[in-house]
Amino acid sequence: DTSKSIDVDCIVDGPDSGEKVFDEINNITGGNSYECEVTEDVLDEEGNYKFYVKATGGSTCPAEADKVTVFYDSEGPDRPDYIEKDKESACVYEIEFKTDRDGDTTYVEIYRDDDKEFKVGPDTRIKTIDIGPDEKYEFDDERYGEDCGKTQYYAIRAFDDADNPSDVTVEK
């Protein structure tokens, strides 16, 4: 019967916290869909979390959904060992870096700016490279036009498969 209202409890069973209701949706009528909001208050430590919903009220209740297990990873990999540049010509830098042997790195982002004190982010990112832990990599960074001849500065950070970033490594 879609005219009867249903109450839904969103339940989590965390690594060490045990089972608890983290969200409630009340007075749902048939034909609508809703979402349980998972915030950092719910995911308070790394590990496996089991989520499910339990409905009460209505003609087919109580009902309980299947549990879904999710592994929560909030820690990034160790930062890359180094990033170095070698000026090959006025417009070309050879960039070499090595990732840490942390076992977590799945890709890196390379950043560049002509100001030594710069922020890493989308505006300064020049390259994303899929690479694992404990690997060396080289590439040429060519500059054109008015940027040719300007001194460039480079930084790198690693990411794991959950897109958690490492600390930034800057060139020495």
Side-chain angles (χ1 to χ4, degrees), residues 77-116:
D78 292 338
R79 70 183 181 179
D81 288 345
Y82 65 84
I83 184 168
E84 298 174 344
K85 71 179 178 192
D86 183 25
K87 192 169 190 173
E88 302 221 325
S89 70
C91 300
V92 179
Y93 285 100
E94 180 184 85
I95 307 302
E96 178 181 298
F97 66 86
K98 182 175 181 289
T99 56
D100 190 84
R101 59 177 145 191
D102 56 18
D104 291 332
T105 299
T106 58
Y107 69 96
V108 297
E109 290 183 350
I110 310 294
Y111 309 91
R112 172 192 65 222
D113 201 302
D114 60 5
D115 183 352
K116 191 172 186 171

Side-chain angles (χ1 to χ4, degrees), residues 9-121:
D9 287 338
C10 305
I11 302 168
V12 63
D13 186 357
D16 290 326
S17 61
E19 204 168 278
K20 67 181 178 184
V21 174
F22 68 91
D23 199 0
E24 296 176 356
I25 305 167
N26 297 309
N27 299 318
I28 298 173
T29 56
N32 293 318
S33 63
Y34 297 87
E35 296 177 2
C36 299
E37 186 175 353
V38 178
T39 64
E40 61 190 31
D41 294 335
V42 177
L43 303 173
D44 56 0
E45 62 184 278
E46 289 194 2
N48 284 318
Y49 288 81
K50 293 178 186 171
F51 292 93
Y52 68 101
V53 295
K54 185 185 280 187
T56 56
S59 59
T60 59
C61 295
E64 198 171 288
D66 291 337
K67 293 182 180 180
V68 176
T69 301
V70 175
F71 181 77
Y72 174 60
D73 175 10
S74 64
E75 296 294 319
D78 292 338
R79 70 183 181 179
D81 288 345
Y82 65 84
I83 184 168
E84 298 174 344
K85 71 179 178 192
D86 183 25
K87 192 169 190 173
E88 302 221 325
S89 70
C91 300
V92 179
Y93 285 100
E94 180 184 85
I95 307 302
E96 178 181 298
F97 66 86
K98 182 175 181 289
T99 56
D100 190 84
R101 59 177 145 191
D102 56 18
D104 291 332
T105 299
T106 58
Y107 69 96
V108 297
E109 290 183 350
I110 310 294
Y111 309 91
R112 172 192 65 222
D113 201 302
D114 60 5
D115 183 352
K116 191 172 186 171
E117 302 286 325
F118 71 95
K119 291 184 180 188
V120 299

Side-chain angles (χ1 to χ4, degrees), residues 131-146:
I131 191 168
D134 200 26
E135 291 186 39
K136 284 185 183 179
Y137 190 90
E138 279 182 21
F139 68 94
D140 286 340
D141 183 34
E142 297 183 38
R143 308 299 296 143
Y144 301 98
E146 64 182 44

